[in-house]
Amino acid sequence: MVIAEQGSSETHLQPTADTAASRPLVEMTNVTKVFSNGTVALSDMTMTVMPGEFISLLGPSGCGKSTALRIIAGLGGISAGSIDWPSFRINSRGLPDGDISFVFQEPTLMPWQTVFGNVYLPMRLKGISRKAASERIMSALESVGLADFHKAYPRELSGGMKMRVSIARALVTEPKLLLMDEPFAALDEITRQKLNDDVLALWKSTGITVVFVTHSVFESAYLANRIVVMKARPGRVDSDFPLHTSLERDSHYRTSEEYRQACSEVSARLSEAMGGEEHA
């Protein structure tokens, strides 16, 4: 556990684990984060992540969503409160040792490496030979529909394909927890919808736990089975609620009355968190 002292109906989308009987993956309790310039990014934020969930961390730009995600990943310290990773191996610094993967807003691929080489990177950092990692790399690429492009270079790929490579790189280590920081925000709507479907398919087929940062009501209502809405700076949880559906989430769901109602509920929660501002 990392602790900082003060001043320092049946549904198609459900968690794949029995969360009531499982240990949490992450427990944030009254976490505050103050940057060196005095900016209070998070204040008294409490959130628990259970195995098998698909959580959407929703809020306006600048509300601390990305900061919270980095803290969950063990990539940033806290100023007050505590954070614990009960289901992970913990290293000598009190941080999770592996089993967490991060997909950033940009693909951050190495231009001099092939698709295969980019996905191999986390395995290489673990000391695993290219030959020994080959089967897992190709399996990860197959899961995102890019096995036939394993010899291609990033310059030969579209924006959506580059992001698929980034997702494959995150999945190749077979993590317990996948953290995604607005990964599709810069993509066109058609590509974004396709990647939303791909991520849902991966979540349902692998049982991985996902925390997905977005400021889109429509994306969060489509993807998540639990939504955590944050208030604007200083960031903290305003509402935390499940969002299930009786329909399969696909192209037909996007035009359904149930999806419209889900978007309406999420939008109302976000509007309340923003002090009544309208949000499309």
Side-chain angles (χ1 to χ4, degrees):
M1 177 185 294
V2 174
I3 302 175
E5 298 295 337
Q6 286 288 352
S8 90
S9 117
E10 181 182 356
T11 61
H12 285 273
L13 278 180
Q14 303 179 35
T16 54
D18 181 0
T19 56
S22 301
R23 299 175 68 197
L25 292 181
V26 184
E27 290 182 312
M28 298 177 69
T29 306
N30 305 124
V31 167
T32 292
K33 173 66 176 182
V34 183
F35 289 111
S36 58
N37 63 2
T39 299
V40 182
L42 299 175
S43 177
D44 201 30
M45 181 168 176
T46 296
M47 184 175 75
T48 298
V49 179
M50 299 299 294
E53 291 187 302
F54 196 124
I55 298 173
S56 174
L57 198 55
L58 175 68
S61 297
C63 74
K65 302 184 299 296
S66 295
T67 298
L69 207 66
R70 291 180 65 85
I71 288 171
I72 291 172
L75 298 177
I78 60 178
S79 305
S82 66
I83 181 165
D84 193 14
W85 298 269
S87 300
F88 292 95
R89 301 185 306 274
I90 302 299
N91 62 26
S92 59
R93 295 179 296 153
L95 298 173
D97 186 16
D99 292 333
I100 298 178
S101 287
F102 206 118
V103 177
F104 295 92
Q105 294 179 21
E106 299 294 332
T108 60
L109 303 181
M110 298 177 291
W112 60 89
Q113 287 282 3
T114 62
V115 166
F116 186 100
N118 272 282
V119 177
Y120 173 52
L121 177 61
M123 305 293 280
R124 181 168 66 84
L125 294 175
K126 288 177 175 288
I128 300 172
S129 73
R130 196 178 182 95
K131 182 178 180 180
S134 180
E135 184 176 346
R136 282 173 64 176
I137 292 169
M138 292 306 297
S139 177
L141 287 171
E142 181 68 33
S143 72
V144 298
L146 287 180
D148 291 342
F149 291 85
H150 67 282
K151 294 182 179 180
Y153 286 87
R155 64 179 178 273
E156 301 172 303
L157 306 178
S158 68
M161 293 169 75
K162 290 176 184 178
M163 189 54 70
R164 284 192 176 94
V165 176
S166 182
I167 294 171
R169 184 174 58 191
L171 292 174
V172 74
T173 58
E174 300 177 351
K176 292 180 183 178
L177 178 60
L178 178 62
L179 306 176
M180 308 186 78
D181 189 5
E182 298 192 69
F184 312 142
L187 301 175
D188 64 86
E189 193 64 22
I190 293 174
T191 302
R192 185 170 183 162
Q193 289 183 3
K194 179 62 171 68
L195 289 176
N196 282 170
D197 290 337
D198 291 344
V199 169
L200 274 181
L202 286 168
W203 174 67
K204 288 187 283 188
S205 65
T206 64
I208 195 172
T209 305
V210 181
V211 181
F212 189 103
V213 164
T214 182
H215 58 258
S216 168
V217 165
F218 307 108
E219 189 168 56
S220 61
Y222 186 76
L223 289 174
N225 67 2
R226 177 182 159 205
I227 296 180
V228 177
V229 179
M230 293 180 63
K231 279 187 172 292
R233 189 178 298 162
R236 65 274 194 204
V237 174
D238 184 75
S239 61
D240 185 340
F241 58 101
L243 190 66
H244 298 308
T245 173
S246 61
L247 303 174
E248 185 71 23
R249 297 194 188 186
D250 54 19
S251 59
H252 300 292
Y253 178 67
R254 284 193 174 95
T255 59
S256 70
E257 174 62 18
E258 188 167 349
Y259 179 52
R260 188 200 67 77
Q261 291 178 0
C263 290
S264 179
E265 177 185 357
V266 176
S267 182
R269 299 266 192 159
L270 182 57
S271 176
E272 182 179 339
M274 296 173 64
E277 297 179 23
E278 293 297 324
H279 186 85

